[in-house]
Amino acid sequence: MIRLSLILISFFSLFYGLAFLFIPYSFADITQAEYTNIAWLRNIGASICGVLFIGLLYVYRKPDENFDLFAVITFTSFFQTIGLIFSRFFNEF
């Protein structure tokens, strides 16, 4: 069950990471954000693809050997989520 969750989260991360990376204007339109945030969205998209997608695939392959990597991925995802919530709460978009 854990491995299934890892692979599902990995591919979901790839999907929205690529969306932020290649079509950030669509996300800005949906959230009614100003286009000044586009460079940050592309940067976040690249980070999501690298850390969450690739990292979770490594953890999926050998979960017991990659616990430290999984901890880094978990904390990175947590901090990214808190940052986005903070930005949305203070209307920075």
Side-chain angles (χ1 to χ4, degrees), residues 55-88:
L56 285 174
L57 283 182
Y58 274 109
V59 173
Y60 174 79
R61 270 189 359 189
K62 297 180 182 177
D64 296 336
E65 295 178 14
N66 292 310
F67 184 76
D68 292 340
L69 177 59
F70 186 60
V72 169
I73 292 168
T74 302
F75 286 118
T76 302
S77 179
F78 174 76
F79 290 133
Q80 285 177 333
T81 302
I82 294 299
L84 288 172
I85 290 170
F86 180 84
S87 291
R88 190 66 192 147

Side-chain angles (χ1 to χ4, degrees), residues 18-64:
L18 289 175
F20 281 1
L21 186 60
F22 293 113
I23 52 171
Y25 288 98
S26 297
F27 179 77
D29 290 338
I30 290 169
T31 59
Q32 298 177 351
E34 294 181 18
Y35 291 152
T36 57
N37 294 321
I38 296 302
W40 286 105
L41 286 175
R42 288 188 194 277
N43 190 12
I44 289 170
S47 297
I48 289 169
C49 289
V51 173
L52 295 177
F53 174 65
I54 301 296
L56 285 174
L57 283 182
Y58 274 109
V59 173
Y60 174 79
R61 270 189 359 189
K62 297 180 182 177
D64 296 336

